[in-house]
Amino acid sequence: MKQPDSAERKSAVRQAISNMEAGRPAIAPEVKPITAELLERLGDALLWHIVVEPYVPKQRGMLVKAPISIEAERILSQVARVVLVGCFAWKSKTASGLDLAGETHKPEVGDYVLHEAYAGTEIHLTTGHMLRILTETECKLRVKDPELIRAWL
């Protein structure tokens, strides 16, 4: 991963100081989607687990959301993009005997899913990214267009 040069760091520090003087948070929580390089450094999903990245809808309109609101949307989002899939995901049987291998709409890496509220385990990376580790049965819907699903804070 490319490290910021001295000029970029000075600019970021100046921006943080300017934000603090204006009463805004020092650093805005805007985080770009996780990269393949960062996922490679992270590791692999094991067994029947699925790693997803929360989806935050694009902002519309003229009003600017507060940074705390954007961060809350990331945490409370129920729509996420699949970034890693364990080798046994959708190949096992549930406790009630349901064979998950028969599921015809299995999400793959890059697909969006709707999951249960507060499902799985949140992990926060030092890069500012937040990921969630789910089991295959916590995914409720493979979403074709995540912009259709609206979440309100």
Side-chain angles (χ1 to χ4, degrees), residues 9 12 15 32 42 60 62 70 73 77 87 91-92 99 103 109 120 129 133 138 142-143:
R9 279 189 294 229
Q15 180 66 41
K32 297 190 183 322
L42 181 63
R60 295 186 175 106
M62 300 285 291
I70 296 169
E73 281 185 340
S77 176
C87 63
K91 295 180 182 173
S92 60
D99 186 9
E103 173 58 57
V109 171
H129 291 92
I133 302 173
E138 290 173 321
R142 188 176 72 185
V143 178

Side-chain angles (χ1 to χ4, degrees), residues 31-35 38 53-54 74 123-131:
V31 177
K32 297 190 183 322
I34 196 162
T35 63
L38 192 54
E53 179 178 37
R74 283 179 53 210
I123 55 174
H124 297 264
L125 305 182
T126 58
T127 58
H129 291 92
M130 187 192 83
L131 302 174

Side-chain angles (χ1 to χ4, degrees), residues 22-104:
R24 297 184 300 263
I27 299 172
E30 181 180 342
V31 177
K32 297 190 183 322
I34 196 162
T35 63
E37 179 183 334
L38 192 54
L39 284 172
E40 184 65 32
R41 287 180 54 204
L42 181 63
D44 300 310
L46 300 177
L47 304 173
W48 51 85
H49 293 100
I50 299 132
V51 180
V52 297
E53 179 178 37
Y55 173 77
V56 177
K58 296 177 183 90
Q59 185 172 336
R60 295 186 175 106
M62 300 285 291
L63 296 176
V64 177
K65 289 181 184 175
I68 192 76
S69 172
I70 296 169
E71 182 68 13
E73 281 185 340
R74 283 179 53 210
I75 292 170
L76 298 174
S77 176
Q78 292 179 3
V79 177
R81 182 174 61 97
V82 177
V83 295
L84 295 170
V85 177
C87 63
F88 291 120
W90 291 287
K91 295 180 182 173
S92 60
K93 289 187 177 185
T94 64
S96 62
L98 180 66
D99 186 9
L100 298 178
E103 173 58 57
T104 57

Side-chain angles (χ1 to χ4, degrees), residues 106-121:
K106 299 175 191 95
E108 298 174 3
V109 171
D111 288 347
Y112 289 92
V113 294
L114 178 79
H115 59 78
E116 296 176 352
Y118 307 108
T121 304

